[in-house]
Amino acid sequence: MPSFVVATQPRSYPVLVAPGALGALAEHLPRGAGKIFVVTTADVWELHGRRIEAPLAGRAYEVLLFPGGEERKRLAELEALAEQMATRGGDRTSVVVAFGGGIVNDLGGFLAATFMRGIPVIQAPTTLLAQVDAGVGGKTGVNLEAGKNLVGAFHQPLAVLIDPDVLATLPEREYRAGLYEVLKTGIIRSERLFRLMVEERDRILDLDPDVVPEMVAQAVAIKAEVVSADERESDLRRILNFGHTLGHALEAETGYARLLHGEAVAYGMRAATHLAHRAGYLAGADRDEILRAITLYGPIPSLGGISAANLVARLVRDKKTVHGRIHFVLPVRIGEVKVVSGLDEALVLEAAQAALDELAAA
Ligand code: GLY
């Protein structure tokens, strides 16, 4: 089974990528584990619950259903889940299994980070976005009115179990939203992955089993390498935020309701690519190639009626803004990015507007 190691100071843990990976769940539970709490959504449980039930047979476990939705990734939901754990036999020996998409991985991970001051979590991501990004690397948290993921904790899991077979039931739009995160990984760190996504676009969209697990594995390998080098995002890990600076602003501006996270990142990657070129970091040919590749996995919902000025105004409240300086991750060529701050706000506004104009009529 392809397996990658995330080596961080709190712990090193495996990330398994293979059909049937969820069947290995019991092997990754600690000796003496108490009650297992599977945090999931009704749709994921209905479609894939048996993949978790089988390895947990004979163990004490409870299923906690979370309603889902970015707008529900809030402290109030966390509290409700923690209350359920406390009344249903949770204690310090309990383990959370976060079984679902990025929202469940973030919220379930944060629940584990905070319940009784911290219990273990196993991440079992079921969307492409969660498999290649949210489920790997220990970032957990919830949203505030003021912005995304503003309350949270680094809480590394015991293991991440990725079964590419579960992608077959993902709505097509969600799958494409995840593909933008894979493309992001190629643009920031791997020309090989970028080319795979450009050349094999049709097979990837068709979920070809000869291509998709390989694509997921390449993306996971990069995520594991980056997190191992810089768990706390003081340096290299910041490159994973390519497209997220303006992407987060767009999600907040649209009330977390109009776009999926990956779609907002697609917008943010377009804007950052324009910005990189306008600021003199990226050649025109590479800019065009990156924009074309993003378009290959479109369209995203129309962005008509959004104000670029409002998006830029939101950037100062983002976690990536340090001492009032906005940091951007900008491509310098395909497979390499640079973290840049102190850019002229007029340039940022122009780039944000250029990407909005391209997508206004989509
Ligand atoms: N999603 C970005 C990171 O894990 O750092």
Side-chain angles (χ1 to χ4, degrees), residues 133 136 139 223 233 237 240-241:
D133 194 39
V136 182
K139 278 190 180 176
K223 178 95 197 231
E233 200 178 306
R237 189 167 180 168
L240 298 172
N241 293 324

Side-chain angles (χ1 to χ4, degrees), residues 105-118:
N105 283 224
D106 285 1
L107 185 81
F110 193 38
L111 179 66
T114 49
F115 186 75
M116 299 211 173
R117 299 203 179 86

Side-chain angles (χ1 to χ4, degrees), residues 292-350:
R292 236 186 340 265
I294 299 169
T295 304
L296 280 181
Y297 288 96
I300 70 168
S302 167
L303 293 184
I306 309 264
S307 149
N310 285 1
L311 296 182
V312 174
R314 281 183 181 272
L315 296 182
V316 289
R317 292 203 291 270
D318 196 88
K319 289 197 295 325
K320 291 175 280 302
T321 299
V322 182
H323 303 312
R325 284 167 80 84
I326 301 164
H327 289 69
F328 281 96
V329 181
L330 300 183
V332 296
R333 62 174 189 82
I334 293 164
E336 189 180 337
V337 286
K338 189 179 168 70
V339 181
V340 174
S341 68
L343 287 172
D344 183 351
E345 197 174 311
L347 270 189
V348 177
L349 197 61
E350 272 174 38

Side-chain angles (χ1 to χ4, degrees), residues 239-257:
I239 70 173
L240 298 172
N241 293 324
F242 173 53
H244 286 60
T245 311
L246 278 158
H248 277 179
L250 180 62
E251 281 185 282
E253 185 70 12
T254 50
Y256 301 108

